[in-house]
Amino acid sequence: MKLQVHRTYNFNAGPSALPISVLEKAQQELIDFRGTGMSVMELSHRSSTYEEVHNQAISSLKELLSIPDTHEVLFLQGGASLQFSMIPMNFLHTGEKAAYVMTGSWSEKAFSEGKLLGEVYQAASAKEGNYRRIPKLEELQYQTGDAYLHLTSNNTIYGTQWKDYPDTRDVPLIADMSSDILSKPIDISRFALIYAGAQKNLGPSGVTVVIIRKDLLEKANTNIPTMLKYSTHVKNNSLYNTPPTFGIYMLGEVLNWIRELGGVGAISELNERKALLIYDVIDNSNDFYVGHADKDSRSLMNITFNLETEELEKKFLHQAKQEGFVGVNGHRSIGGCRVSAYNAVPIEACQAFSEFMIQFQKANK
Ligand SMILES: *Cc1c(COP(=O)(O)O)cnc(C)c1O
């Protein structure tokens, strides 16, 4: 008999919801992984059983994102935050500058790390107006010969998202896609490097996905520690040292789940419907709910909004919690409300929350 399990409406910003079928499979396989008599966590990372898990996860990601042969997939550690440093360490050469587009707290952190390691400047900033918008492509100011242009594709805290990316020609384009990777199809060939902490859209925390164009490696700085060189991990298929094996296994299972759903195209359609359920309530609320982001910059992953007064907002958040909606508080740095509707958040959760918003407005007009 299958026990009725308790699952909450999880809108956490990260770590965030995982597909229930993936959790159940992991549970089933936990004690005896594919006849080994061990869990996947207890296997040697040099064993053929683990290697199959590892390589399968890499090839699934290549397949789902249509990653061309010009690019490598890496599984690293240290989170997206370590990438803030590894990128300038490897690719910001003396005498060159790197350009950063400022669209929120994560871009600021990436920029600060770049500043510690070399010469960086801002190609554009949306700070004025508290990061409500994504700069227009024509606003970006960078130069041929720059080491790279860095942007944050989805701004988890402010709830904005790039809809189109700049064509930077010879300047390598680097993107932090931590909070929208695999949520929609993208043309990988336009990017020199993409990185993402797994814990929002891909799996549990502990794994960082890096998709890197191979020719970039030839130009990389060499006077850096072995573990912090991308080339080390490329040469060793991300098995230079012990990788986060359980996280990579989970990531592989999340990718299988996406494939079964119909791939990135199908998940993208679903994500649009999910976000619209909530944006529609905001837009039809007569400013009872006020969205933080400009409409043309809105994120489909993180929906940020405020209520008229702080008091009403408190009441809203309190009731949401009572109704079983988890993670709706805005980030501690900006407050307000935020619904994170990543890939694994079911549409039913967004439906239920939109109904809650309508009811709350009726009761508090
Ligand atoms: C969550 C997040 C990060 C930080 O990721 P860590 O894995 O915790 O270092 C960086 N960038 C963006 C866009 C994020 O959403």
Side-chain angles (χ1 to χ4, degrees), residues 78-82 84 106 152 154-156 176 178-179 197 199-200 208:
S81 299
L82 185 59
F84 298 162
W106 296 116
T152 315
N154 183 77
N155 299 282
T156 326
D176 176 359
S178 292
S179 52
Q199 67 272 23
K200 280 128 192 179
T208 309

Side-chain angles (χ1 to χ4, degrees), residues 132-189:
R132 277 171 204 286
R133 63 185 197 98
I134 298 295
K136 296 205 168 45
L137 298 186
E138 340 42 292
E139 281 175 55
L140 307 186
Q141 299 210 356
Y142 55 96
Q143 313 226 304
T144 333
D146 279 349
Y148 55 82
L149 177 77
H150 178 281
L151 61 83
T152 315
S153 63
N154 183 77
N155 299 282
T156 326
I157 295 175
Y158 295 92
T160 61
Q161 186 174 25
W162 291 72
K163 310 289 161 184
D164 191 15
Y165 299 109
D167 176 4
T168 54
R169 292 161 190 270
D170 290 340
V171 178
L173 180 60
I174 295 184
D176 176 359
M177 293 199 181
S178 292
S179 52
D180 70 350
I181 192 165
L182 222 66
S183 70
K184 60 177 183 185
I186 39 163
D187 179 1
I188 302 285
S189 70

Side-chain angles (χ1 to χ4, degrees), residues 18 54 60 66 115 132 134 137 221 234 284 353 362:
L18 287 164
H54 189 89
S60 293
S66 308
K115 204 152 58 173
R132 277 171 204 286
I134 298 295
L137 298 186
N221 290 320
V234 169
N284 294 322
F353 193 72
K362 272 194 192 141

Side-chain angles (χ1 to χ4, degrees), residues 4 10 78 87 149 177 202 220 258 266 292 298 314 316 326 354:
Q4 188 63 39
N10 182 356
I87 289 161
L149 177 77
M177 293 199 181
L202 296 173
I258 292 182
H292 176 76
R298 279 175 169 175
K314 250 192 200 155
F316 176 81
V326 171
S354 72

Side-chain angles (χ1 to χ4, degrees), residues 164-285:
D164 191 15
Y165 299 109
D167 176 4
T168 54
R169 292 161 190 270
D170 290 340
V171 178
L173 180 60
I174 295 184
D176 176 359
M177 293 199 181
S178 292
S179 52
D180 70 350
I181 192 165
L182 222 66
S183 70
K184 60 177 183 185
I186 39 163
D187 179 1
I188 302 285
S189 70
R190 295 176 64 172
F191 295 89
L193 191 152
I194 291 169
Y195 64 99
Q199 67 272 23
K200 280 128 192 179
N201 254 339
L202 296 173
S205 62
V207 190
T208 309
V209 168
V210 172
I211 303 168
I212 184 170
R213 207 174 64 210
K214 292 174 198 168
D215 68 351
L216 213 60
L217 295 165
E218 289 151 27
K219 289 185 274 178
N221 290 320
T222 50
N223 57 336
I224 41 180
T226 310
M227 271 297 283
L228 300 178
K229 282 182 192 162
Y230 290 103
S231 59
T232 300
H233 302 288
V234 169
K235 274 184 220 143
N236 292 282
N237 190 31
S238 302
L239 285 160
Y240 172 75
N241 70 322
T242 318
T245 52
F246 187 72
I248 292 168
Y249 156 71
M250 288 293 286
L251 186 146
E253 291 302 331
V254 169
L255 298 178
N256 288 339
W257 170 78
I258 292 182
R259 189 186 296 110
E260 280 159 26
L261 275 180
V264 178
I267 206 108
S268 159
E269 264 175 53
L270 204 56
N271 284 335
E272 274 187 39
R273 283 169 50 207
K274 278 154 54 183
L276 266 186
L277 279 169
I278 294 164
Y279 281 128
D280 276 349
V281 176
I282 293 175
D283 292 343
N284 294 322
S285 74

